[in-house]
Amino acid sequence: MSQKPPPSYLFFSENYGYASIFTDEIFSIYPEFDRDMSSGDIAERTLLYRQQNAIKPTEIVLCQTDSAEIFVLDTTRVDARGEYPVLRKVGDESALHAPTFADFIIKL
């Protein structure tokens, strides 16, 4: 994964680490993980979703809900603060969900 997570995600990760909202895990940064076991590491999950063609090479996966929604950061659009918009994907459909990761957390 060559894209850098945005400042609001890094703040969230540094201050809260692992988190889930209702039953939906927000993928986080794992300092170490076992490659033989699936984890919620954001880099591992992003690479897996890209290999499965579930997300584009320019997207970073944040969360997948029980209702098959996938939330991703769109790294092709960055604002002056280094924030990416969050897209909601269902099947082949994709739409803007929130302007930043912080707004995504509030909205979710």
Side-chain angles (χ1 to χ4, degrees), residues 58-81:
T58 55
E59 296 172 336
I60 299 171
V61 69
L62 292 172
C63 175
Q64 179 168 358
T65 68
D66 291 339
S67 56
E69 299 168 301
I70 300 173
F71 292 95
V72 299
L73 294 165
D74 177 4
T75 66
T76 64
R77 298 183 282 167
V78 61
D79 69 15
R81 298 171 301 174

mmCIF file of all heavy atoms in Angstrom, residues 58-81:
data_model
loop_
_atom_site.group_PDB
_atom_site.id
_atom_site.type_symbol
_atom_site.label_atom_id
_atom_site.label_comp_id
_atom_site.label_asym_id
_atom_site.label_seq_id
_atom_site.Cartn_x
_atom_site.Cartn_y
_atom_site.Cartn_z
ATOM 1 N N THR A 58 -6.373 2.640 -6.142
ATOM 2 C CA THR A 58 -6.243 3.977 -5.546
ATOM 3 C C THR A 58 -7.099 4.136 -4.296
ATOM 4 O O THR A 58 -7.193 5.242 -3.757
ATOM 5 C CB THR A 58 -6.634 5.046 -6.564
ATOM 6 O OG1 THR A 58 -7.961 4.765 -7.039
ATOM 7 C CG2 THR A 58 -5.658 5.072 -7.733
ATOM 8 N N GLU A 59 -7.709 3.051 -3.827
ATOM 9 C CA GLU A 59 -8.578 3.119 -2.653
ATOM 10 C C GLU A 59 -7.961 2.385 -1.470
ATOM 11 O O GLU A 59 -7.240 1.407 -1.646
ATOM 12 C CB GLU A 59 -9.960 2.534 -2.975
ATOM 13 C CG GLU A 59 -10.696 3.329 -4.035
ATOM 14 C CD GLU A 59 -11.973 2.684 -4.513
ATOM 15 O OE1 GLU A 59 -12.124 1.440 -4.410
ATOM 16 O OE2 GLU A 59 -12.825 3.420 -5.019
ATOM 17 N N ILE A 60 -8.262 2.883 -0.275
ATOM 18 C CA ILE A 60 -7.846 2.255 0.976
ATOM 19 C C ILE A 60 -9.118 1.836 1.695
ATOM 20 O O ILE A 60 -9.991 2.666 1.953
ATOM 21 C CB ILE A 60 -7.046 3.227 1.862
ATOM 22 C CG1 ILE A 60 -5.763 3.681 1.158
ATOM 23 C CG2 ILE A 60 -6.728 2.586 3.213
ATOM 24 C CD1 ILE A 60 -5.026 4.794 1.876
ATOM 25 N N VAL A 61 -9.251 0.562 2.013
ATOM 26 C CA VAL A 61 -10.465 0.065 2.648
ATOM 27 C C VAL A 61 -10.478 0.436 4.132
ATOM 28 O O VAL A 61 -9.474 0.335 4.820
ATOM 29 C CB VAL A 61 -10.636 -1.455 2.438
ATOM 30 C CG1 VAL A 61 -9.604 -2.246 3.191
ATOM 31 C CG2 VAL A 61 -12.032 -1.907 2.813
ATOM 32 N N LEU A 62 -11.630 0.907 4.595
ATOM 33 C CA LEU A 62 -11.805 1.289 5.998
ATOM 34 C C LEU A 62 -12.643 0.292 6.781
ATOM 35 O O LEU A 62 -12.375 0.025 7.942
ATOM 36 C CB LEU A 62 -12.504 2.648 6.095
ATOM 37 C CG LEU A 62 -11.743 3.856 5.616
ATOM 38 C CD1 LEU A 62 -12.649 5.073 5.609
ATOM 39 C CD2 LEU A 62 -10.541 4.089 6.497
ATOM 40 N N CYS A 63 -13.662 -0.229 6.118
ATOM 41 C CA CYS A 63 -14.661 -1.007 6.852
ATOM 42 C C CYS A 63 -15.541 -1.746 5.857
ATOM 43 O O CYS A 63 -15.800 -1.236 4.764
ATOM 44 C CB CYS A 63 -15.500 -0.020 7.670
ATOM 45 S SG CYS A 63 -16.892 -0.703 8.560
ATOM 46 N N GLN A 64 -16.005 -2.922 6.250
ATOM 47 C CA GLN A 64 -17.061 -3.607 5.510
ATOM 48 C C GLN A 64 -18.147 -3.950 6.499
ATOM 49 O O GLN A 64 -17.872 -4.531 7.554
ATOM 50 C CB GLN A 64 -16.582 -4.875 4.812
ATOM 51 C CG GLN A 64 -17.737 -5.542 4.071
ATOM 52 C CD GLN A 64 -17.308 -6.636 3.125
ATOM 53 O OE1 GLN A 64 -16.137 -6.918 2.958
ATOM 54 N NE2 GLN A 64 -18.280 -7.257 2.493
ATOM 55 N N THR A 65 -19.374 -3.581 6.175
ATOM 56 C CA THR A 65 -20.484 -3.810 7.090
ATOM 57 C C THR A 65 -21.116 -5.179 6.855
ATOM 58 O O THR A 65 -20.864 -5.829 5.835
ATOM 59 C CB THR A 65 -21.569 -2.727 6.926
ATOM 60 O OG1 THR A 65 -22.192 -2.886 5.644
ATOM 61 C CG2 THR A 65 -20.993 -1.328 7.067
ATOM 62 N N ASP A 66 -21.961 -5.575 7.785
ATOM 63 C CA ASP A 66 -22.694 -6.837 7.647
ATOM 64 C C ASP A 66 -23.670 -6.798 6.477
ATOM 65 O O ASP A 66 -24.103 -7.841 6.001
ATOM 66 C CB ASP A 66 -23.455 -7.150 8.942
ATOM 67 C CG ASP A 66 -22.521 -7.501 10.083
ATOM 68 O OD1 ASP A 66 -21.364 -7.898 9.825
ATOM 69 O OD2 ASP A 66 -22.941 -7.354 11.247
ATOM 70 N N SER A 67 -24.010 -5.599 6.011
ATOM 71 C CA SER A 67 -24.937 -5.483 4.883
ATOM 72 C C SER A 67 -24.197 -5.291 3.554
ATOM 73 O O SER A 67 -24.749 -4.747 2.602
ATOM 74 C CB SER A 67 -25.934 -4.349 5.121
ATOM 75 O OG SER A 67 -25.256 -3.133 5.372
ATOM 76 N N ALA A 68 -22.933 -5.727 3.486
ATOM 77 C CA ALA A 68 -22.124 -5.750 2.259
ATOM 78 C C ALA A 68 -21.706 -4.379 1.744
ATOM 79 O O ALA A 68 -21.315 -4.249 0.597
ATOM 80 C CB ALA A 68 -22.824 -6.544 1.163
ATOM 81 N N GLU A 69 -21.776 -3.368 2.579
ATOM 82 C CA GLU A 69 -21.245 -2.060 2.196
ATOM 83 C C GLU A 69 -19.742 -2.077 2.474
ATOM 84 O O GLU A 69 -19.305 -2.614 3.481
ATOM 85 C CB GLU A 69 -21.837 -0.941 3.046
ATOM 86 C CG GLU A 69 -23.328 -0.785 2.955
ATOM 87 C CD GLU A 69 -23.841 0.137 4.039
ATOM 88 O OE1 GLU A 69 -23.629 -0.179 5.236
ATOM 89 O OE2 GLU A 69 -24.420 1.170 3.695
ATOM 90 N N ILE A 70 -18.994 -1.484 1.569
ATOM 91 C CA ILE A 70 -17.559 -1.313 1.768
ATOM 92 C C ILE A 70 -17.295 0.187 1.767
ATOM 93 O O ILE A 70 -17.710 0.893 0.840
ATOM 94 C CB ILE A 70 -16.731 -1.996 0.664
ATOM 95 C CG1 ILE A 70 -17.007 -3.493 0.628
ATOM 96 C CG2 ILE A 70 -15.241 -1.734 0.873
ATOM 97 C CD1 ILE A 70 -16.358 -4.204 -0.557
ATOM 98 N N PHE A 71 -16.617 0.671 2.794
ATOM 99 C CA PHE A 71 -16.255 2.082 2.871
ATOM 100 C C PHE A 71 -14.761 2.202 2.593
ATOM 101 O O PHE A 71 -13.959 1.468 3.178
ATOM 102 C CB PHE A 71 -16.600 2.661 4.243
ATOM 103 C CG PHE A 71 -18.077 2.745 4.470
ATOM 104 C CD1 PHE A 71 -18.748 1.734 5.140
ATOM 105 C CD2 PHE A 71 -18.812 3.822 3.985
ATOM 106 C CE1 PHE A 71 -20.123 1.797 5.344
ATOM 107 C CE2 PHE A 71 -20.179 3.890 4.179
ATOM 108 C CZ PHE A 71 -20.841 2.882 4.862
ATOM 109 N N VAL A 72 -14.411 3.114 1.679
ATOM 110 C CA VAL A 72 -13.023 3.283 1.263
ATOM 111 C C VAL A 72 -12.633 4.751 1.229
ATOM 112 O O VAL A 72 -13.481 5.633 1.070
ATOM 113 C CB VAL A 72 -12.763 2.674 -0.133
ATOM 114 C CG1 VAL A 72 -13.030 1.188 -0.156
ATOM 115 C CG2 VAL A 72 -13.566 3.387 -1.209
ATOM 116 N N LEU A 73 -11.335 4.992 1.376
ATOM 117 C CA LEU A 73 -10.775 6.321 1.145
ATOM 118 C C LEU A 73 -10.407 6.413 -0.328
ATOM 119 O O LEU A 73 -9.754 5.509 -0.866
ATOM 120 C CB LEU A 73 -9.520 6.530 1.989
ATOM 121 C CG LEU A 73 -9.725 6.562 3.501
ATOM 122 C CD1 LEU A 73 -8.395 6.399 4.216
ATOM 123 C CD2 LEU A 73 -10.409 7.857 3.911
ATOM 124 N N ASP A 74 -10.820 7.487 -0.989
ATOM 125 C CA ASP A 74 -10.502 7.714 -2.398
ATOM 126 C C ASP A 74 -9.255 8.590 -2.464
ATOM 127 O O ASP A 74 -9.330 9.806 -2.319
ATOM 128 C CB ASP A 74 -11.672 8.395 -3.100
ATOM 129 C CG ASP A 74 -11.388 8.727 -4.549
ATOM 130 O OD1 ASP A 74 -10.312 8.365 -5.064
ATOM 131 O OD2 ASP A 74 -12.250 9.381 -5.180
ATOM 132 N N THR A 75 -8.096 7.970 -2.684
ATOM 133 C CA THR A 75 -6.835 8.710 -2.641
ATOM 134 C C THR A 75 -6.556 9.527 -3.899
ATOM 135 O O THR A 75 -5.537 10.206 -3.967
ATOM 136 C CB THR A 75 -5.647 7.763 -2.382
ATOM 137 O OG1 THR A 75 -5.490 6.884 -3.491
ATOM 138 C CG2 THR A 75 -5.840 6.979 -1.089
ATOM 139 N N THR A 76 -7.462 9.487 -4.869
ATOM 140 C CA THR A 76 -7.270 10.304 -6.075
ATOM 141 C C THR A 76 -7.685 11.748 -5.828
ATOM 142 O O THR A 76 -7.358 12.622 -6.614
ATOM 143 C CB THR A 76 -8.058 9.754 -7.279
ATOM 144 O OG1 THR A 76 -9.463 9.821 -7.004
ATOM 145 C CG2 THR A 76 -7.633 8.332 -7.609
ATOM 146 N N ARG A 77 -8.418 11.976 -4.742
ATOM 147 C CA ARG A 77 -8.866 13.339 -4.404
ATOM 148 C C ARG A 77 -8.402 13.654 -2.984
ATOM 149 O O ARG A 77 -8.801 12.990 -2.038
ATOM 150 C CB ARG A 77 -10.392 13.443 -4.486
ATOM 151 C CG ARG A 77 -10.914 13.171 -5.887
ATOM 152 C CD ARG A 77 -12.396 13.344 -5.957
ATOM 153 N NE ARG A 77 -13.039 12.153 -5.383
ATOM 154 C CZ ARG A 77 -14.330 12.092 -5.070
ATOM 155 N NH1 ARG A 77 -15.101 13.145 -5.235
ATOM 156 N NH2 ARG A 77 -14.835 10.988 -4.580
ATOM 157 N N VAL A 78 -7.562 14.651 -2.854
ATOM 158 C CA VAL A 78 -7.033 15.034 -1.557
ATOM 159 C C VAL A 78 -7.254 16.529 -1.349
ATOM 160 O O VAL A 78 -7.098 17.312 -2.279
ATOM 161 C CB VAL A 78 -5.532 14.649 -1.420
ATOM 162 C CG1 VAL A 78 -4.683 15.332 -2.452
ATOM 163 C CG2 VAL A 78 -5.015 14.878 -0.038
ATOM 164 N N ASP A 79 -7.653 16.912 -0.134
ATOM 165 C CA ASP A 79 -7.853 18.333 0.137
ATOM 166 C C ASP A 79 -6.566 18.959 0.670
ATOM 167 O O ASP A 79 -5.539 18.282 0.808
ATOM 168 C CB ASP A 79 -9.059 18.574 1.058
ATOM 169 C CG ASP A 79 -8.867 18.103 2.489
ATOM 170 O OD1 ASP A 79 -7.713 17.826 2.897
ATOM 171 O OD2 ASP A 79 -9.877 18.021 3.219
ATOM 172 N N ALA A 80 -6.610 20.231 0.992
ATOM 173 C CA ALA A 80 -5.425 20.969 1.444
ATOM 174 C C ALA A 80 -4.851 20.420 2.753
ATOM 175 O O ALA A 80 -3.668 20.598 3.041
ATOM 176 C CB ALA A 80 -5.760 22.451 1.596
ATOM 177 N N ARG A 81 -5.662 19.742 3.550
ATOM 178 C CA ARG A 81 -5.208 19.180 4.832
ATOM 179 C C ARG A 81 -4.688 17.749 4.695
ATOM 180 O O ARG A 81 -4.322 17.114 5.679
ATOM 181 C CB ARG A 81 -6.340 19.217 5.854
ATOM 182 C CG ARG A 81 -6.814 20.635 6.175
ATOM 183 C CD ARG A 81 -8.055 20.596 6.996
ATOM 184 N NE ARG A 81 -9.073 19.870 6.204
ATOM 185 C CZ ARG A 81 -10.263 19.534 6.618
ATOM 186 N NH1 ARG A 81 -10.637 19.812 7.833
ATOM 187 N NH2 ARG A 81 -11.107 18.898 5.843
#
